[in-house]
Amino acid sequence: MARIVMKFGGTSMAGIERIRNVAARVKREWDAGNQVAVVVSAMAGETDRLVNFCREASSLYDPREYDVVVASGEQITSGLLAMTLQAIGVPARSWLGWQLPVNTDGAFAKARIGDIETGPLLASMAAGEVAVIPGFQGLHEGRITTLGRGGSDTSAVAVAAAVKADRCDIYTDVDGVYTTDPRIVPRARKLKKVTYEEMLELASVGAKVLQTRSVGLAMKEQVRVQVLSSFTGENAPMADTLPGTMIVGEEEIQDVESQLITGIAHDKNEAKITLVAVPDKPGAVASIFNPLAEANINVDMIIQNIAHQSAGSASATDVTFTVPSADLARSIETLNQSKAEIGFAELLQDTRVAKISVVGVGMRSHAGVAATMFKTLGARGINIQAITTSEIKVSVLIDEDETELAVRVLHTAYGLDAEDTAA
C-alpha cells in the first residue's frame, strides 16, 4: 500500500465529463489499496474569469477581497469531484483550505504555506476515505488566502510533504517535461528525469509545467514528483508505470554532466522598466528596490548603466529591470510614490519583451554555453536587451516578436532536436 497525492489541473477538471474521467483514475488507485489525497484546480478558464471580474471592479483591488473571489473556483471543483467519487462507490470528502487548515502567511494573493495540520486528514485517509482538497488556497488569521497563479501545484507538493506521501503525481494536459515547448519545436524531446534544480530554473524562467514554488518546496522536502498526462484514456497503465517525467534529486540521475543543456524556456509575461537619470550615489539602488520588495513584487533582470555626468550637474545612471507583467501597474504606482526619494527623471516601460533561457546542470562543468547562445542569436539578428545568469542557467531579454525564432535556433544549436518527430 502506498500513500499518494494526485493533483489535477484546470483542463482535467473542465466540465463534468472530464471530472468523471478524473474520478475513474482516482478510483483505480483507491481500488489498488492505496491511501489517496486529491488536489484539484479550478475548471480551465475559471480563475481568469474571476480575476477579470476583480480587475473590472477595481484596477487596484484589495488583495484580501481578491482572494475571496478567486478561491471559489477550486471550491466548486473539489465539491464536484467528491460527489462524483461518491456516485461510483468511492468514499470521499472535500477538505477546504480552512478545514485542514493550510496555514499561510499574510501575503494575500501570493501567500506562502507555513504548515498543514494533518491529523484529521490522515485519520480519514487511513479509514479508506479519499480526501479531495482544493488547491491554491489557505488560511491566515481567519481569512482565505491564495498562493498565486499555479498555486495548486504548490498545494499538492505541500500536502504530499505533510502526509509523507510516497509520490506526488501532477496530472496535466502534457505527458511530461520536454526540452522546450513542443508547440514551437515539434522535434522537442520528452525527458524521463529532471533534477529538482533544473526544474526549478525551468519553472522560474517560463516553463509552464509546474509552478516555481512547488518545485522549490519539493526540493526542500525531497518529495518525488511525477508529471503525467490526464488524457491517456481509460485503459492507460497505473501511474507508477506511466512514462511521464520524474522530478528527483541528482543522485537518481546517472552521469548528470553528460548532457550540457536540459531545456530551453521562454516567458512572455515580462515587463521592462527603465528609470532614467537616477542619482549615482550610495543607497540609490536600495531606494528603488526596497519599496518593490515591500509591495511583494519580484524583480528579475537588473541592469545599471555606467554613470554619466552632464556639464554642471551631478552624475546619474539609468537602471533597467524586469517584473512580471501582472505586477507592472503596481510597480509603476509604487515607484512613482517613491519618486522624490529615488530622484529619477523619467520612467519608461515596455511590455513587448520576452525572456529566453537555457538550463542544464551540465553547465557547471562545461564552458562556452553563454557564448553559443549569444553567437546563435546574433547570427539571426536577434538583439539582446538584458542578460542574467546562474550556475545552471543563462537568460536573455529580447523583443517579443522574435521569441519563437530564438527558441528554435537555440534548441538546434544545443543539439536538443529529436532524431525524428516520433521520438
Side-chain angles (χ1 to χ4, degrees):
M1 180 185 72
R3 183 175 292 162
I4 298 172
V5 173
M6 308 171 73
K7 183 266 176 179
F8 292 91
T11 51
S12 307
M13 304 297 293
I16 294 299
E17 196 56 43
R18 289 190 178 179
I19 290 175
R20 288 195 182 103
N21 291 335
V22 167
R25 196 175 294 272
V26 173
K27 185 177 187 297
R28 292 176 64 193
E29 294 288 356
W30 181 78
D31 284 341
N34 295 323
Q35 293 184 7
V36 182
V38 187
V39 176
V40 296
S41 296
M43 293 185 184
E46 180 64 10
T47 302
D48 286 336
R49 187 178 74 92
L50 296 171
V51 169
N52 287 334
F53 282 148
C54 293
R55 289 173 176 166
E56 288 175 15
S58 171
S59 59
L60 297 173
Y61 47 73
D62 180 350
R64 292 171 177 79
E65 303 306 333
Y66 168 92
D67 281 357
V68 171
V69 175
V70 299
S72 63
E74 282 75 11
Q75 180 171 323
I76 292 169
T77 49
S78 60
L80 289 173
L81 178 57
M83 290 180 193
T84 307
L85 285 167
Q86 291 167 6
I88 59 174
V90 178
R93 175 192 163 184
S94 63
W95 297 74
L96 301 185
W98 60 269
Q99 290 174 312
L100 283 174
V102 179
N103 296 308
T104 74
D105 62 17
F108 291 89
K110 295 180 181 179
R112 291 186 174 274
I113 296 174
D115 62 86
I116 301 177
E117 299 176 25
T118 58
L121 174 65
L122 286 170
S124 174
M125 292 171 64
E129 193 172 68
V130 171
V132 184
I133 302 166
F136 182 54
Q137 65 174 243
L139 180 74
H140 176 73
E141 295 181 353
R143 291 197 65 91
I144 291 174
T145 58
T146 63
L147 311 181
R149 298 306 299 269
S152 293
D153 289 342
T154 301
S155 298
V157 173
V159 169
V163 302
K164 295 180 171 54
D166 296 280
R167 195 178 66 242
C168 179
D169 292 334
I170 306 289
Y171 288 87
T172 181
D173 54 355
V174 296
D175 59 352
V177 179
Y178 281 74
T179 49
T180 196
D181 189 338
R183 293 170 298 182
I184 295 178
V185 183
R187 296 173 72 87
R189 294 183 287 109
K190 185 170 69 174
L191 301 164
K192 291 182 180 179
K193 290 184 178 180
V194 178
T195 68
Y196 291 122
E197 197 171 359
E198 287 173 323
M199 195 66 238
L200 185 61
E201 290 284 16
L202 286 167
S204 69
V205 294
K208 307 301 182 186
V209 180
L210 293 172
Q211 189 204 43
T212 305
R213 284 165 50 192
S214 70
V215 184
L217 183 59
M219 181 166 64
K220 175 176 176 285
E221 301 292 340
Q222 293 296 292
V223 175
R224 299 179 85 247
V225 176
Q226 184 171 208
V227 178
L228 302 160
S229 173
S230 57
F231 301 103
T232 52
E234 293 182 4
N235 298 319
M238 295 291 283
D240 54 4
T241 62
L242 279 172
T245 299
M246 290 296 304
I247 317 300
V248 295
E250 284 189 26
E251 65 278 1
E252 288 195 43
I253 300 180
Q254 296 180 346
D255 197 13
V256 74
E257 294 183 347
S258 63
Q259 180 165 301
L260 177 60
I261 296 300
T262 297
I264 313 289
H266 70 282
D267 189 0
K268 293 184 179 180
N269 298 313
E270 295 276 319
K272 183 175 71 172
I273 295 175
T274 299
L275 298 182
V276 179
V278 176
D280 184 33
K281 62 181 182 180
V285 174
S287 69
I288 297 171
F289 297 111
N290 282 344
L292 294 173
E294 290 172 1
N296 291 311
I297 296 170
N298 293 323
V299 175
D300 186 13
M301 298 177 167
I302 302 174
I303 298 175
Q304 182 172 352
N305 295 337
I306 297 174
H308 52 83
Q309 185 171 6
S310 302
S313 64
S315 60
T317 184
D318 297 340
V319 179
T320 299
F321 54 93
T322 60
V323 298
S325 296
D327 289 334
L328 179 60
R330 287 199 303 125
S331 299
I332 292 172
E333 182 195 27
T334 299
L335 292 167
N336 282 330
Q337 288 176 348
S338 303
K339 183 175 182 178
E341 180 183 355
I342 299 170
F344 64 87
E346 185 180 4
L347 187 155
L348 306 176
Q349 58 174 294
D350 184 2
T351 58
R352 294 194 56 78
V353 294
K355 180 168 61 179
I356 309 296
S357 305
V358 297
V359 176
V361 292
M363 291 169 60
R364 291 193 183 118
S365 54
H366 292 77
V369 173
T372 298
M373 186 181 200
F374 304 153
K375 179 180 178 181
T376 301
L377 296 177
R380 290 305 187 104
I382 299 173
N383 185 50
I384 296 173
Q385 302 178 27
I387 302 168
T388 187
T389 65
S390 75
E391 190 179 23
I392 65 167
K393 175 200 72 178
V394 180
S395 297
V396 297
L397 197 70
I398 64 172
D399 187 280
E400 182 183 60
D401 293 338
E402 297 174 316
T403 302
E404 293 191 5
L405 174 61
V407 170
R408 290 192 188 100
V409 298
L410 289 172
H411 197 267
T412 299
Y414 289 109
L416 297 176
D417 291 348
E419 292 183 4
D420 57 71
T421 54

